[in-house]
PDB file of all heavy atoms in Angstrom:
ATOM      1  N   GLY A 175     -36.001   5.371  22.860  1.00 85.00           N
ATOM      2  CA  GLY A 175     -35.300   4.293  22.180  1.00 85.00           C
ATOM      3  C   GLY A 175     -33.780   4.413  22.460  1.00 85.00           C
ATOM      4  O   GLY A 175     -33.394   5.182  23.320  1.00 85.00           O
ATOM      5  N   THR A 176     -33.026   3.682  21.697  1.00 83.00           N
ATOM      6  CA  THR A 176     -31.599   3.631  21.905  1.00 83.00           C
ATOM      7  C   THR A 176     -30.846   3.725  20.604  1.00 83.00           C
ATOM      8  O   THR A 176     -31.378   3.520  19.544  1.00 83.00           O
ATOM      9  CB  THR A 176     -31.189   2.281  22.570  1.00 83.00           C
ATOM     10  OG1 THR A 176     -31.582   1.232  21.716  1.00 83.00           O
ATOM     11  CG2 THR A 176     -31.817   2.160  23.953  1.00 83.00           C
ATOM     12  N   ARG A 177     -29.532   4.049  20.773  1.00 83.00           N
ATOM     13  CA  ARG A 177     -28.596   3.973  19.651  1.00 83.00           C
ATOM     14  C   ARG A 177     -27.509   3.052  20.070  1.00 83.00           C
ATOM     15  O   ARG A 177     -26.820   3.251  21.074  1.00 83.00           O
ATOM     16  CB  ARG A 177     -28.045   5.384  19.366  1.00 83.00           C
ATOM     17  CG  ARG A 177     -26.953   5.285  18.313  1.00 83.00           C
ATOM     18  CD  ARG A 177     -26.344   6.648  18.033  1.00 83.00           C
ATOM     19  NE  ARG A 177     -25.235   6.486  17.090  1.00 83.00           N
ATOM     20  CZ  ARG A 177     -24.189   7.293  17.072  1.00 83.00           C
ATOM     21  NH1 ARG A 177     -24.081   8.274  17.919  1.00 83.00           N
ATOM     22  NH2 ARG A 177     -23.237   7.081  16.183  1.00 83.00           N
ATOM     23  N   ALA A 178     -27.391   1.921  19.330  1.00 84.00           N
ATOM     24  CA  ALA A 178     -26.312   0.968  19.580  1.00 84.00           C
ATOM     25  C   ALA A 178     -25.094   1.413  18.834  1.00 84.00           C
ATOM     26  O   ALA A 178     -25.142   1.671  17.590  1.00 84.00           O
ATOM     27  CB  ALA A 178     -26.745  -0.406  19.112  1.00 84.00           C
ATOM     28  N   HIS A 179     -23.979   1.566  19.525  1.00 85.00           N
ATOM     29  CA  HIS A 179     -22.722   2.050  18.910  1.00 85.00           C
ATOM     30  C   HIS A 179     -21.941   0.927  18.257  1.00 85.00           C
ATOM     31  O   HIS A 179     -22.044  -0.236  18.691  1.00 85.00           O
ATOM     32  CB  HIS A 179     -21.862   2.768  19.974  1.00 85.00           C
ATOM     33  CG  HIS A 179     -22.524   3.986  20.520  1.00 85.00           C
ATOM     34  ND1 HIS A 179     -22.383   5.227  19.936  1.00 85.00           N
ATOM     35  CD2 HIS A 179     -23.360   4.183  21.553  1.00 85.00           C
ATOM     36  CE1 HIS A 179     -23.077   6.123  20.592  1.00 85.00           C
ATOM     37  NE2 HIS A 179     -23.686   5.512  21.604  1.00 85.00           N
ATOM     38  N   LEU A 180     -21.176   1.280  17.254  1.00 82.00           N
ATOM     39  CA  LEU A 180     -20.431   0.286  16.478  1.00 82.00           C
ATOM     40  C   LEU A 180     -19.515  -0.574  17.348  1.00 82.00           C
ATOM     41  O   LEU A 180     -19.449  -1.764  17.189  1.00 82.00           O
ATOM     42  CB  LEU A 180     -19.608   1.026  15.420  1.00 82.00           C
ATOM     43  CG  LEU A 180     -18.811   0.155  14.463  1.00 82.00           C
ATOM     44  CD1 LEU A 180     -19.708  -0.782  13.666  1.00 82.00           C
ATOM     45  CD2 LEU A 180     -18.023   1.010  13.512  1.00 82.00           C
ATOM     46  N   TRP A 181     -18.839   0.049  18.282  1.00 84.00           N
ATOM     47  CA  TRP A 181     -17.853  -0.699  19.109  1.00 84.00           C
ATOM     48  C   TRP A 181     -18.401  -1.047  20.461  1.00 84.00           C
ATOM     49  O   TRP A 181     -17.662  -1.274  21.422  1.00 84.00           O
ATOM     50  CB  TRP A 181     -16.569   0.097  19.225  1.00 84.00           C
ATOM     51  CG  TRP A 181     -15.990   0.459  17.927  1.00 84.00           C
ATOM     52  CD1 TRP A 181     -15.833   1.722  17.425  1.00 84.00           C
ATOM     53  CD2 TRP A 181     -15.494  -0.390  16.907  1.00 84.00           C
ATOM     54  NE1 TRP A 181     -15.299   1.678  16.175  1.00 84.00           N
ATOM     55  CE2 TRP A 181     -15.066   0.399  15.845  1.00 84.00           C
ATOM     56  CE3 TRP A 181     -15.402  -1.786  16.799  1.00 84.00           C
ATOM     57  CZ2 TRP A 181     -14.527  -0.163  14.657  1.00 84.00           C
ATOM     58  CZ3 TRP A 181     -14.859  -2.325  15.648  1.00 84.00           C
ATOM     59  CH2 TRP A 181     -14.442  -1.512  14.606  1.00 84.00           C
ATOM     60  N   GLY A 182     -19.728  -1.075  20.582  1.00 83.00           N
ATOM     61  CA  GLY A 182     -20.362  -1.448  21.880  1.00 83.00           C
ATOM     62  C   GLY A 182     -20.847  -0.212  22.613  1.00 83.00           C
ATOM     63  O   GLY A 182     -20.444   0.887  22.387  1.00 83.00           O
ATOM     64  N   GLY A 183     -21.776  -0.430  23.513  1.00 85.00           N
ATOM     65  CA  GLY A 183     -22.358   0.632  24.274  1.00 85.00           C
ATOM     66  C   GLY A 183     -23.626   1.217  23.637  1.00 85.00           C
ATOM     67  O   GLY A 183     -23.914   0.905  22.463  1.00 85.00           O
ATOM     68  N   GLN A 184     -24.347   1.984  24.383  1.00 83.00           N
ATOM     69  CA  GLN A 184     -25.593   2.570  23.934  1.00 83.00           C
ATOM     70  C   GLN A 184     -25.765   4.029  24.405  1.00 83.00           C
ATOM     71  O   GLN A 184     -25.259   4.381  25.457  1.00 83.00           O
ATOM     72  CB  GLN A 184     -26.802   1.794  24.453  1.00 83.00           C
ATOM     73  CG  GLN A 184     -26.985   0.448  23.833  1.00 83.00           C
ATOM     74  CD  GLN A 184     -28.270  -0.205  24.284  1.00 83.00           C
ATOM     75  OE1 GLN A 184     -28.743   0.022  25.419  1.00 83.00           O
ATOM     76  NE2 GLN A 184     -28.834  -1.067  23.453  1.00 83.00           N
ATOM     77  N   SER A 185     -26.482   4.772  23.574  1.00 85.00           N
ATOM     78  CA  SER A 185     -26.978   6.106  23.968  1.00 85.00           C
ATOM     79  C   SER A 185     -28.491   5.984  24.029  1.00 85.00           C
ATOM     80  O   SER A 185     -29.071   5.095  23.376  1.00 85.00           O
ATOM     81  CB  SER A 185     -26.585   7.173  22.947  1.00 85.00           C
ATOM     82  OG  SER A 185     -25.181   7.324  22.895  1.00 85.00           O
ATOM     83  N   TYR A 186     -29.112   6.864  24.771  1.00 84.00           N
ATOM     84  CA  TYR A 186     -30.561   6.765  24.946  1.00 84.00           C
ATOM     85  C   TYR A 186     -31.237   8.033  24.423  1.00 84.00           C
ATOM     86  O   TYR A 186     -30.811   9.138  24.689  1.00 84.00           O
ATOM     87  CB  TYR A 186     -30.896   6.575  26.429  1.00 84.00           C
ATOM     88  CG  TYR A 186     -30.190   5.368  26.990  1.00 84.00           C
ATOM     89  CD1 TYR A 186     -28.930   5.425  27.573  1.00 84.00           C
ATOM     90  CD2 TYR A 186     -30.731   4.089  26.845  1.00 84.00           C
ATOM     91  CE1 TYR A 186     -28.270   4.323  28.055  1.00 84.00           C
ATOM     92  CE2 TYR A 186     -30.114   2.972  27.293  1.00 84.00           C
ATOM     93  CZ  TYR A 186     -28.856   3.090  27.903  1.00 84.00           C
ATOM     94  OH  TYR A 186     -28.236   1.965  28.365  1.00 84.00           O
ATOM     95  N   PHE A 187     -32.315   7.836  23.658  1.00 83.00           N
ATOM     96  CA  PHE A 187     -33.125   8.944  23.169  1.00 83.00           C
ATOM     97  C   PHE A 187     -34.236   9.292  24.115  1.00 83.00           C
ATOM     98  O   PHE A 187     -34.910   8.357  24.586  1.00 83.00           O
ATOM     99  CB  PHE A 187     -33.722   8.601  21.790  1.00 83.00           C
ATOM    100  CG  PHE A 187     -32.695   8.409  20.701  1.00 83.00           C
ATOM    101  CD1 PHE A 187     -32.594   7.185  20.064  1.00 83.00           C
ATOM    102  CD2 PHE A 187     -31.850   9.432  20.322  1.00 83.00           C
ATOM    103  CE1 PHE A 187     -31.679   6.996  19.057  1.00 83.00           C
ATOM    104  CE2 PHE A 187     -30.930   9.254  19.309  1.00 83.00           C
ATOM    105  CZ  PHE A 187     -30.822   8.007  18.692  1.00 83.00           C
ATOM    106  N   GLN A 188     -34.372  10.520  24.461  1.00 85.00           N
ATOM    107  CA  GLN A 188     -35.429  11.047  25.392  1.00 85.00           C
ATOM    108  C   GLN A 188     -36.060  12.282  24.794  1.00 85.00           C
ATOM    109  O   GLN A 188     -35.406  13.014  24.064  1.00 85.00           O
ATOM    110  CB  GLN A 188     -34.867  11.370  26.750  1.00 85.00           C
ATOM    111  CG  GLN A 188     -34.318  10.189  27.519  1.00 85.00           C
ATOM    112  CD  GLN A 188     -35.409   9.316  28.100  1.00 85.00           C
ATOM    113  OE1 GLN A 188     -36.574   9.716  28.144  1.00 85.00           O
ATOM    114  NE2 GLN A 188     -35.056   8.160  28.551  1.00 85.00           N
TER     115      GLN A 188
END
Side-chain angles (χ1 to χ4, degrees):
T176 60
R177 174 181 176 210
H179 296 272
L180 181 62
W181 305 114
Q184 288 185 330
S185 296
Y186 303 92
F187 295 118
Q188 293 285 346

